[in-house]
Structure formats: structure tokens, C-alpha cells
Amino acid sequence: HKTVLSALSCPACSRQIPIFPSIPVVAASMSRPPPPFTPQNPTPAPRPGGQSPSSTLPASFSNLQISRAPPPFASVGPPQGDGPVPSSIRGPQAPPPGARPFPGSPSPPGSLFACPAPSVQQSPPFGAPPAAQSLQQQRPPFNGPPPVLPAQVQRAPFGGPPAASQPLPYGGPPAAVSQLAPFGVSPVAAAQSAPLGAPRYSAAQPPQFSGLSGAVSRPSYSGGSIPPFGAARAPSQQGPYGGPPQFGGERPGLQTPLFGAQTAPASQPPPFMGVRGANAPAFGPPGWQGQTRPAASSEFIVKDTGNCSPRLMRCTMNQIPCTGDLLTTSGMPLAIMVQPFALPHPSEEAIQLVDFGEMGPIRCSRCKAYINPFMRFVDQGKIFICNLCGFSNDTPREYLCNLGPDGRRRDADDRPELCRGTVEFIATKEFLVREPMPAVYFFLVDVSMNAIQTGATAAACSAISQSLSDLPEGPRTMVGIATFDSTIHFYSLKRAQQQPLMLIVPDIQDVYTPLQMDLILPVSECRDSLEQLLESIPSMFENNRVADSAFGAAMKAGFLAMKPTGGKLLVFQSVLPSVGTGSLSARETEGRSNISSGDKEAHKLLQPVDKTLKTMALEFAEYQVCVDVFLTTQSYTDVASISVVPSTTGGRVYYYFPFSALSDPAKLFNDLRWNITRPQGLEAVMRVRCSQGLQVQDYSGNFCKRVPTDIDLPAIDSDKTIMVSFKHDDKFQENSECGFQCALLYTTVYGQRRIRVINISLPCTSMLSNLFRCADLEAQFTYVVKQAANGIPSSSLSQVRDQVTSTCINILQSYRQYCASVSSSGQLILPEALKLLPLYTLALTKSIGLRNDGRLDDRSYWVSIVSSVSVSLAVPLVFPRMIALHDLTSRDDEDPLIPNPLTLNSENIQDNGIYLLENGEDGFIHVRNAVNPATLEQIFGFSSLAGAPNLLVLEQFDNVLSRKVNEVVNEIRRQRCSYLRLRLCQKGDPSGDFFRSLLVEDKAPGGLSYVEFLVHVHRQIQSKMT
Amino acid sequence: DSCSPRSIMAADPSAAAAPADPDGPDAVRFTWNAWPRSKVEASRCVVPLAVAISPVRSPESLASPPLPYPPLRCKPPCSALLNPFARVDFAAKIWICPLCFSRNHFPPHYAGISENNVPAELFTQCSTVEYLVAGPPGSPAPLPPVFLFVIDTCVIEEELEYVKLSMRKAVALLPEHALVGLVTFGTQVHLHELGFSELSKIYVFRGSKEISKEQILDQLGLSGGGRPGFPKMTQQPGVQQVNGMHPLVTTGVNRFLLPVSECECTLSTLLDELQPDQWPVEAGNRAIRCTGVALNVAAGLLGACVPGTGARIIALLGGPCTEGPGVIVSKDLSEPVRSHKDLDKDAAPHFQKAVKFYDGLAKQLVSQGHVLDVFASALDQVGLAEMKLAIERTGGLVVLSESFGHSVFKDSFKRIFEGGEHSLGLSFNGTFEINCSKDIKVQGVIGPCTSLEKKGALCADTIVGQGNTTAWKMCGLDRNTSLTVFFDVSPSERSGQPGHQNPDLYIQFVTSYQHPEGQMRIRATTVSRKWVDGSTNTEELVEGFDQETAAVVLARYISLKMEIEEEFDATRWLDRSLIRLCSRFGDYRKDDPSSFSLHSNFSLFPQFMFNLRRSQFVQVFNNSPDETAYFRMLLNRESITNSVAMIQPSLISFSFDSPPSPVFLDVASIAVDRILLLDAYFSVVIFHGMTIAQWRNMCYQNQPEHQQFAQLLQAPQEEAQVIINGRFPVPRLVVCDQHGSQARFLLAKLNPSATYNSAHDVPPGSDIIFTDDVSFQVFCEHLQRLAVQS
């Protein structure tokens, strides 16, 4: 192993070959350019396992290639090759003979790693096969990088300030358009809070997504009057466009696409594998359409030219199957992930606000779809045809405009609603059932004995107090507070009174609000007294001996106080709610004692215990009250039951287990602060419409649904994603387009009612290969994760795992069966776009949600966050990122802040290392035994782990390593919009075992190693095909 | 012509001037001071055999200071206390109980007893004697009185300010060790936790939901082991229970009930910050006021914190209950508060429910030994009629006024906290027991008490008021508190035989109570009266008749009957009783009205009855149900002298001609140059004759040469002040002039001897009353005629 390791860490290779590529980044870079891989011609996957490219292996090792990585196209060797079993599945971890795909294969030690050298040198940055055959087949038909980019995904010119390089095609915004108030992403003052706030992009950092700069004009759009919007045309308006697009050639050298600065230096060969001529037609005339979007986890800049930013909405496949049968055959899901308030890149143009005055936004009179760039104006603009239902509408007189020679309205580029995929409309009266609600924040703090004694109350009070200054400014921001134990204590903070008045509601079976007014006041009027109160609450209840906590009743009471307005109810709960409405019992222990009654019923403990809280939550939602629950606990709190309330009302659960008064207050504060400051909307209603041929099958996420078509969101924020799945109810014509439109009616925190309309239009295809080529791995995997989470409370874990695995197998089998060449029948062939699916799937089966061991609450919490998790965070949640911290000092300051992630394999763990593994929620710092005490001292301030707390507070010390560690951690926090909970994992400790269990490529007691898993998948496919 | 009405009336004014202590040293007044021996004879007496007693009348009247030892009791079942009527055999150290004739040995510590060394309770003048009941050594200090204020905040700002003013005065007057609690209410009930120093802490109870005592305890965290999280109430050995009060339950005391000395500041802040109820009142609606739940909560709190010790809920109400249990009227203003007519026609939809609720509250309070006082200050009714049970059963005080700014409220409220001479001597937690000779049976009691359901041989078959018991709970009692005990005679076989007859009857009233100073005391009053033998001996009966007591007892009796008997015709019943009484005891020749005359002991009685018929007690339709309830509660609890004034007001004339002198309660007493002072108990009216009023308006009184006039004007004021000072509730003072609108307060009480029908022969300067009511003269003529009918 030593030799292997040293070979892998060879400096020459490590820069050129992402031996341990950050999986998300790799995936991102793969999907960032138009991946013109043909189905038969998949680019070999990056070596996620850090192994040498498989194509270089001797033929006899072909089965290893299969098991370790997507094989090259022309594969090598007979399927029944008797190649050696890879080292990783050799030895004690080797599968039983029966499990071996190729019985009798010898397993020479180290042979796998023994001969990678030549291929390493030839490997393209992604570990793509450099072999001769791949060169032949993958040579792009055009010189230079094919700019078959999603046109709306504009890449900032390399080197220059991104914003500046995007010339606005018109002199300024149209009069009717006002700029959307940028969401305040205030720089964070406190050192500890730095990671929160919108991700900050430093100039050096963005790995610019390749694409055309706005200035590049397409030859095909020769009309001088057409603003140089690149390909920002509705397909219907592209009459003159014919023939294959002229790709390449125009790109200035400087703009050579870079696929992630970390992995692909500019000096590398073009990262595109090129488009095979045979497949070119599949892209269809509108070159900007139907292409894959940049990976969610990558960094890119979007220029909205008709299709919305993929941050806001992305589909699991970038071409839509013409028929339902085709979709079924593919085994892939069809769904879109909508994240309506997704954070934009700071360089991106803000979403424009359109005011149609009293007329209101133009809508299709049949399906009520909102005007969008894909609606086609005909008959001199007198008629417009809805892109969703096809209905011909009369253009309102006020909205008439002549068409230009290109068939577009002459004013199309002046009107954001006709040239932008995402716009906001000012809502007219007909969208208002009442005055837009004020921004109401009501805090509920548990002050029962445990909460006080663990310091949770003090942490909550301090967090609230510090967050007050972050509340939206203005007279429309109202606050209120209540505390509770076995009774509920409201506080009247009216100014006239000398001291706050504490009003106790003791009836926790049937609660009520103790005052009509004065419980919720404009923050400007009561800020001082509220701060004083927050300061005194911990001491006031210092000697509280009431152990009970009436969580449900307190929420209900808080709700009643907010009922007239609606708003956000932020609950800080520390123990299992034991009394009053919606009280819960320690089901966990009941479950344990009943273990003999079978694991079959174990999942019942992951369901809400009864309907009480659900009923309550539905009422909250009806009155636009959104509940966020901060669980600062040291014991079982039945997250499964509690999480029903936030998930129904558009909130979420924050979970701090086991709560530490030392380390968690900082996270609590940052979570609360982000909760308040992130872009968000109130009293929202959302509907997704799609073209005829598809229909919405289901919505999934944190909301309340009363009618089948709409979902009610008392609150919606930048972190929340809603998954919408579709099914066919008709056929699409080949080359037609399928449009999706998400309309979100909401109230801003400043009290303006708006409709955010997000559009996307995708080409339809009847070719399965296109589906696979344009599959969006991350979106699909997010779908799988969410489906798995949905299944956890209702089926046994093994069933869910089987389900997840079979989804993966079905997709791959479909590809194998219908798209792969016959010659490769004995091999595991992965579609290029989905080549990481098996790895992710394996990670999912080993995730906290699906693993057998682990606490019920942890699993319930996992389920609860998955329900609203975004695409960009879903993958790391399951497939964490691991980086080495001990050698950060060896990196240059010019290097990207975050070093290349290591594969999740214990072989990458050095005995003298310190590793950080993060999944967007938690950061696990693993300190090995042989680590240099000096390093330890530098990072943590102590030289021995003995007695170190499991929950860490990362301080910055005056040394380079500490600074770098802090920079890295802060950067991760910024990327994830989440303040990582840092935990120290030591060997020989349960925490160390836990860390090991996160190394998903390893064989674990409950799961296969990655190699074994691939073997398993391959065998399943083969058995299905025969 | 002693039989003429004139002669009857002639006795009136002088008799109305009460003697120094009309109730005697024992504060016991009998309707009949000599009792017939048989049931038949008793019923022929018309006026029931009844005794009015003020159990704890001011101790100044006692012949001996309180005795610092426990009383001796006769052996059960008699259990009577040793008293001056007992026969004592000094040699044998034996006493014979006069009630049951049992022989009892003196206990060892009475060994020193002899003819020359007699304990105080055997002194003849010590027919009423008080014992100090000291607990065993080491028992806790005297219990502090507990005052739980319940304040209505559904009032306008101005009224609330008056309340605050009165409250501040009250707090300042309270003894330092007294425990105080505060409940305010409007739409919801606010229970203030006074023991929480950091900020104002309030428990809020919803007004719309009745809440049981257990729930209150549970919700306040005062319950025993019910809820996890609260310390379990385990009986600790060696810790004594105080009056059933659990030692650990008292932890609640220092949260909600604090000594005045500790919470004066908090209270003052609370009062400063107290605002009218903030819940909105819709147009056309009454304020949402949950009086019922507020009292419920108050009772629950006291039940949890201080069960069995003296405590009073002092409720200041500003309007009707419109929410939750005890609702008397809906929120909709278009629905008026029920009137007597509605009650009569069964058209008061909330009445029965509310009465039931307050009945339950009364039971709870009685079982806890706590008092409900109500100070109702509103122009409209607040629901006293419904609350009457809860107030009267607990012996609570009640004051009805128009506003919290009115002196009737202000001065009355202040009075209950005052010490010294004017102190009401508010006592708590009393038990009233009766022991009597065997031939006497107890029918029941009318007055502020509740039956303890102690049944026994002494209980009569027929019941009046709180009957079928020989013991009553008096949660609250004071120096004025008076009870009316109704008796029946039921001679046993043996006592009917000559030779065994005892010439005297004995009745002993034993009251144990918590003195205002905290100690428990027992007061025993033993009285003896004569039996009258045979049916012919009316002489003795007549001699023993107490017409004032009789009038009051009848008034109380018919008030009760009017309340509990449907379609009871009080006027008719009174007329018939009076006629029967006059037939029985009058002097006349049959069928000769002009021959009719009455013994002086009866001479005032027809006039009492005449005024009673016209009074607010019988003519209820002139008042609201609240007022009627108020009047009746006071009638039932006041002393005989005061009650007489309610029935038949006194009228005093002030003029230059003569010293102040009582005059007839007749319109004829009005004169232009007189000032009249009417004391109708609930109101005191100063009435200036026209000339006097003119002089006063011309300010003669300010001129030095007319000092006499100034004095004349001043005299009735001073007199009125004397009356007001000595009375609780403080009467309403009305100062008016002849022909002024306020003069109606006087005219309504006067005998209409001159009406608009007789206006032609009215002397100039006098007045007439616009009424069709019969005058007393006509009434008497009818009476004479009917009494002598054969």
C-alpha cells in the first residue's frame, strides 16, 4: 500500500490527475460543458476511487474496470476474463467466492496499482480515457470547444470582473422595470458568523464556467437589430436559424473554458470530449436548449436569456421524453427541483421586477400561465400563443407591439417578461385577499429545567438578542416572545409600561392568547425592552424546577397570538414535549424494549405519533404561520413527530444533539441569523404548470397542500427546494418543446405582494440515448434521496435501501440494454452523465438516514432536512467531502481555498493526518494517532487529545495553519450556507468509529465497498438481461 | 280613644328613638319573650317564635374579658357549654346542665371551685362569655387575615382610577401581616404572582371556560402529586397541619399571597400600571367580562393556598358578567339585563344557570371557609341577584353603588379595613351552634350562614332557611352580623306531664370563630326565657312581645318566602297575619271596629306592617333584581335596630321652633321652615323646606347675624354624619330641597296622608304625594274592621 500511496501522491500527477477529485466538483465539471458523449461512447468516469484509469489496465483486469469505474467504450477483454480481483476486494474483505463476478480470478496484490503510469500522463483532467480508441472516437468534429452551451449559462470572462464583462444590450432597464431589491446579504461582523451570509465570491475563486460571453454574437443571428443576446431566443422565433450551429472558433483564447480551476488547469487539453458527429442532430437547432445545466455544486454565472437560471429550477433530464413509455423504459425520474429563492451569484443580473399596473401580468386566458419568453406572438403581434397549453390569446390592446423581421416582438428585449426566464410581477388587487402581511417574528423559548441547566435557554436568548438587529428594517417588522415550561409565558413589551409584563397561560390543554394586542409589537418600539428581557430570562428561570415542557401548547398559543397576521414562529425546544396539547412520549425506549416484536415495526417510530401536531400545523399554515424548530437537546425528542409542524408550514428543524453550551451557541446564533436574513417570502402560494403532454404528479417539500394544483407556503426561503414530479398524459412531437413554469405568489418582508415566475423550456426527444446524455445526475440523485427519505417512515430500512439500489440498477440496465453497444455485453457500462450514480447510490445506502445503526432522532432529522434540501446540498449530505487539514500550510495562497477533496476511502487516511469531513451539516474532524502534537497545538490550541471535548469550537490562533484551517472551514460554511457543527472524532472512540462509517467507499459491517457494490450492480444487470 | 289610629301612631316617634342598647347584653332578641308550650298555641301567636342574635357583637358589651381556657362541655349528645344557668354542687364538684339536666363532674383543674371562687362563666352577668382557644404549645402564630382582591377592569379609565385610589388606601390600612393577593379581570382573568420580583407576572385564565378547582391548582403548579415536575406532597412526620392546611401547599402562599409589608411596592406598581381591559368591545356590545371565572379562580387559589383559614375575596365589579360561567346577560346591548318582570315570567335565559354556578361557588367557598365580598359599582346591574347565594352563604359583605367614585363605595370600602372604633371587626371561619332545651326544635336560620348539616334530635320537621341542622358555617362574620333562628316547640310526652315541667327554657348559642387578630375564639351565649302555660294566658305572651323584632323577623321571613315560593302574595300574607295577630291579641268587642285597641307592646306593629308592605322588600317591582337582592341580604344580616330602619325609616325635624325631634313619617311633617332628616338605612336624606332653601340660597348662613341659621343648616348634616359613620354599608346621602327632583327620596317613604286627591285641604307650605296608595289612616281603618270581625 505504501507504494501505491506514494505513487498517488506524486506531485506531478496530483496536479494533473485528480487522483482524489472532489466528487462534486468533478461531477460539476463533467456536466458543466455540454457533455456531448454519445451513449455508446461514454467518457470514462473520473476516477473517484483515486485509482488509475481503468483503460490502461490489462485486459485481464477488465472486470476490475467494471467494478471500479466506468469502462472505456471499446472494451477490452472478454467478459469472462480471469483478471485478478482488485486489491481492494482482496484479502479479508474479499467477497465470498460466490460473490465474485469472475470466479477464480487471482488477485495479485497491488497489481491494480502497479501499472498506471502511462495512462496517468495521458489522462485528461477528469481521468477520462486517454487511450487511443477514445481519442479516435471522441475527437470533436469541430475545432475548439463546441459552444453548445446552454446559452443562458453565460460564463464570465476569465480574469475580468464578472459583472463588468457582461454588457447590457440595452441602455438601461425599461421604464416599467425596476430592479429587484437585492436581498440584503450583509457582511457578517462577528468572526464566528463570518461563514453565513451569501456565499462570497472572490475574484480568484470562481472557476468560471465556460460559455460565451455576452458579447459574442452568433453568426446566424445576422439581423443587426437583434441585440446580441446570444441564443436567447424562443425556439419559435428562430425561423432564420438553420443548419448546424457554428460552434467554436469564435471564442477568444482567453475564454477557453475552465472546468473548475481545481481540477483543470487551462493548459490541459480541451476538457470537452467533443461531440460526435453522429449525435450532433440530437442537439437540435436551438443550440442553447436541451443541454445540461452546470452542475449545481459548481460555481458558475448565469445570464438569463429566456430560460431561467438552473439555480432556480432544474430538471432531472434536460430533454423530455416524448412518451411516458420512453420515460418508463429509461428508469429515470422526471421531476424538477424548484428553489425559487436560490441565491444568485453576485455577478448575476438581479431578477427584474415588472409592474403591469392595474392590468396585472398578461396571462393565458385558458391555463392562466404567465407571459414568458416562450409565448409566441403571431399575426402582427395581435395574438399570442401559450407555450404551455397552445391556446391563441388576443393580445391586450395596451400590450400590442409589432413583430420584427425575426418574428419576435420589437420590444422583446426591452421587456423582461419577454426575454428573461425569471421575472417578478407586482401583484394586483386580485392576488390579494388581504393587505400584505407584516413580517412577524415570534420567538418561543423553552425554559424548562433541562433547558435552563444545559444552557440552551441562555444560548437561545443570546442568539435572539443578537439577531434583532438583522430583522428587516421598517415599521412592518414585528416581534413577540414567549417562554414556556409546563405553562406558557407571554411578555407584553409595551413601552408605556415600566417593565415587561409576563402573562402566563396555564391551560395547556386548551390554550388561548392572553392579550389581544401588545404581544407582538413593531421591533422599533420594543427593541430595548426585548433585549433587556432576553438578558434576564435565563436568570429569571434560573431555579426553575419544572421539568415539563409544553411544546405543542406553546406553539398553539404563539400561533393564536400571530393568527391575525401570520408570520414566523421560531421555537427553541430542549426536551421531549411532555405535557399539554401535542405532548409526546419517549417512544424510543418503548421501541427498544419492544425490539423483540420485530424490526418490521421499527419504522413506525419514524412516523409522527399521532395527528395532533399535523392538524395543528395545517391550521398554522392556513393562517400563514411558518414554524422553525431549533432542537437544542441532549436526549430523545421525537423529531419524527415534531418535524411535522415545520415541514407542513414551510419551516425546518434545526437539530443540536447533543447540545453543548460551549460550542453550539455560535451555531445557533448563525442558524437563526441566516434564517432571518436569507432571501425569503411570506404567505406564498406556488403552482407549477407544464406543457400539455405532461402533468404535475406530485409536489414534495415543506409546504401545505390543500388543493391538488397549488401548494401553500407560509414562508419560503432561499434554502428550500420543492420537488415537482411529472407524468405523461399525452405524447410530445419530436423536436417540440416542453415548457415548465413555476409561479410563486408571495409577500416580501417589506410588505410587497409579488409573483415570481420562473420558466424553462426543454426539447422533447424520442431517443433514449438523448435522455441519458442529457440526464442531470445531481437532480436525479436528489430525487432518489428525497424518495428514499419519503419511504423511510413507511417501510423498513432494508426495503428502502433495496429500492434505492434497484432504481440505480434499473437505470443502468436500461442504458445497458438499449444504448450500449452489443460488444460490451459483458461489461458494466455507465452512461457518461450518470457515471457517478452507483457511487452516490452506495453512499446513500450508507447514509445516516438509511444505515441500520444510529439514533431514531438522527434518522428523523435526516429525513426532515432531505425533504427540503436543494440539489447542491443533497449530494454532499449523502456523499460528504473530506479534506486533509494537516498539510494546508504546504498550499500556496493562490491555490483554491479548499484543497482537493479526498476520496472517501480509509486508504487515504494517513496516520499522521488530521482530516475534515463535511456534509453541509456537520464537520467531523478526525485526528489520527500519530499526528504531530505541534500540529495539534497549532490548530486546536492543545497538544493532546486526552480530555478534549467532542464538540469543538474552532478558534483562530496566531499561526499559518490555524489561519488556513479557519479559512477553509469558513469557506465551506459559506458554500453551504450553514455553520458546520464541528465534532472531534478520535480513534478508539465511538466518534472515531462513526467517522470511519462515513468513508463510504470502504467496506463496512453494514454495507459493501464501492468495488463490491459495482460488482453487485453489474451482476444484477446481467441477471436481469438474461 | 286609645284604639284610634292616631294613638297608635302617637307612640311611634318616641319608640323609634332607640334605647342605648336595645339588643341587651347578649345581643339576643326574641319575637316572644315568653313561649307557649304547645305547637297549636305557637301557631296561634302568628308571629313565629324566633330569635335574632348577633353572635360576635362588639366585645365591649361582654361582662368579662376573654377567658384564657377552653370551655367545659356537657356530655354528648348535649355538649352544651357550662353556663350561669347550670346548677352547681360545689361540694360534689358537679354541675347540672340546664338544657339536658345531665350531671357533669368538674375536671381536675376546676378543683378549686367553691361558692367564693366561681369561674367567670358561672357569673350571672356572664350569660355571654368568650373563650380564647389556644392551640397546643408550639402551634403556629395567629393566622393572618387574607384579602384577595378581584378587580374588574372592564370599566372606563375614570372608574378604574377611582378603584386604584381606593385600593391604595385599602392597602395602606391593612395590617402589615395580612396576606394580600390580586386578581384582575375583564375578558380574561389575570392572577398576579406578587411573589415574583423580577417583573410583573400574571397568570392568565380564559374567561369563557369554567375551570375546576383541581385544574386551577394544576395550572398554577400548586397541585399535589398530579403532575410530574412538581415536588410531591408527602406528609412529613412531625409537621402539624394547620386547620387542615397542608404544610407544603403553603408554598403557593408566598407566590400569590404575600404579607402587605412585603408586597406593598409591587402592589403599588401593579396598580399604577393597571389599565382598562384591552380587549376590544364591538360597537353595540357590552364589554366581555368574565366575573364568574374570575371568582372561580380566586376561590380556587384560596382553596389551594389557605384552606380553612380566614380569607376573603373582595370583588370590585363594574358591570354584568357577559362571558363564561355566571353570565347574566348576553354581550348584545340590545338585550337588557333581566328585570323582576323577566324573572317572574321566566324570561331571563341566563338566570338559572348563573344561580347554579354561584351556588356551586358558594359550596366551594364554604367548604374552604372563605368569604366573598362584592362591591358592585355600576349604573346597570352586575348580577347580585345571581351572586346572592355565594355572598350570603359565605357571610360576605355587599355594597351596591353607582360608581367607584361614589362615597357609598369609597367610604364603605375603606371602612372594612379600618381598625379602632369604627372597625367592623371582620372575623372569619365561624361555626355557629345551638343547644337548647329538649322541647324546643330548631327550624332553621335566616342570615349569612350555611348549614353544616349537623342533624340531630333538636332539628324540627319544618324548615325555615338553612334548616335541618344545629350547626352552621359562618365563613365571614362581623360585629353587625345577625342571624334569625326560627324555633318550634314540640313538647315531649314527659315534659307535658305536670310536675316535670321546667318553668324556664334555655337556649345556648355557641360561636367559634377566627378573631380579627388571628386567634380562634369561642363565644357562648346562654339565654333563658319563660314558658307560658295554657292557652288562655295571653297576658304573659303580650308582655313578652317584641314588636320591632317581630316586624323584622316577618320581613325576613316573607323575603325568603318571596324568593323560594312561586306566586307568593306577600302583601296578602302580611295583611292576613296582621289581622290574625290583631284578632288574637287586640282588645275589642266583636264586630265593633271602634272598640279596637292594642297593648303598647303591639302599638307600633301595624305601622311597621304598613311600611313593610310599601317597602322595597315587598314592592320589588320598583327595583332591579340586584337592588332587591342587595336590600334583602342586608336585611338578613343587620341588627334588629338597623333592620327596623330599613322597614320604617326615621324622620327627624330641625327647626328654629324646637330642638331636633322625631316626627311622623308622614307627608304632613313637611313644612317650609323645617329641615327634615330621613334615615331610611340605605339612604339618608336631608330635606330643606322651601323657606329654608331660599334663605340658604341667599347665603344668610354666611352672615354673622344669622349664625343661628348656619347652625340650623349644620345640625342635620352633623346628625347625618353620625348616622353614616356608624353604618356599613355607608348610606347614600341625599341633600335636597322641597319640590326639588331629589325630594322623591323622601316623599317615597312618607305616608301619603295627603295626595293629589286631598290636595284641597292641605295647609299651605305643606306637600302632597302623587300616589294612589292608601294612607296609613285608611289602612288602619280596614285593619280595625277586619280584626274585630267574628
Side-chain angles (χ1 to χ4, degrees), chain B residues 315-506:
Chain B
L316 308 184
L317 308 183
C321 177
T322 55
E323 172 91 340
V327 164
I328 67 153
V329 67
S330 78
K331 294 171 192 78
D332 191 349
L333 267 175
S334 63
E335 178 190 325
V337 185
R338 77 277 173 285
S339 65
H340 273 297
K341 214 173 206 170
D342 295 329
L343 293 180
D344 228 33
K345 290 192 298 191
D346 218 8
H350 309 288
F351 186 76
Q352 289 306 335
K353 252 177 97 179
V355 167
K356 205 176 153 208
F357 168 75
Y358 285 112
D359 187 32
L361 184 70
K363 285 190 178 121
Q364 183 191 344
L365 286 172
V366 168
S367 73
Q368 294 168 187
H370 299 147
V371 190
L372 172 64
D373 299 331
V374 173
F375 291 81
S377 298
L379 290 170
D380 202 354
Q381 305 183 64
V382 304
L384 278 187
E386 286 85 349
M387 289 180 210
K388 179 171 183 278
L389 270 180
I391 301 167
E392 196 164 43
R393 291 277 175 275
T394 60
L397 305 172
V398 58
V399 174
L400 189 64
S401 67
E402 289 164 10
S403 151
F404 288 114
H406 199 282
S407 66
V408 171
F409 166 76
K410 280 198 298 191
D411 298 342
S412 305
F413 188 68
K414 195 170 140 207
R415 181 75 56 79
I416 62 174
F417 305 103
E418 268 173 346
E421 194 188 344
H422 291 299
S423 161
L424 293 177
L426 294 179
S427 305
F428 296 98
N429 218 4
T431 312
F432 177 73
E433 283 177 87
I434 296 178
N435 302 307
C436 52
S437 298
K438 253 183 290 183
D439 298 346
I440 304 172
K441 304 292 178 202
V442 182
Q443 286 184 311
V445 172
I446 294 178
C449 65
T450 307
S451 159
L452 280 175
E453 296 181 12
K454 185 182 174 192
K455 297 178 180 107
L458 295 177
C459 299
D461 301 333
T462 49
I463 292 173
V464 176
Q466 295 285 299
N468 213 359
T469 178
T470 57
W472 293 262
K473 183 79 187 172
M474 299 179 77
C475 299
L477 63 170
D478 57 64
R479 290 175 188 175
N480 291 334
T481 308
S482 168
L483 299 177
T484 314
V485 190
F486 288 78
F487 291 98
D488 199 1
V489 286
S490 167
S492 58
E493 298 282 312
R494 209 169 127 252
S495 59
Q497 296 162 9
H500 285 98
Q501 283 185 349
N502 193 306
D504 296 318
L505 61 95
Y506 299 97

Side-chain angles (χ1 to χ4, degrees), chain B residues 1 43 515 613 615 648 665 735:
Chain B
D1 61 355
S43 75
H515 192 264
R613 285 168 92 250
S615 73
Q648 178 171 306
L665 189 64
V735 180

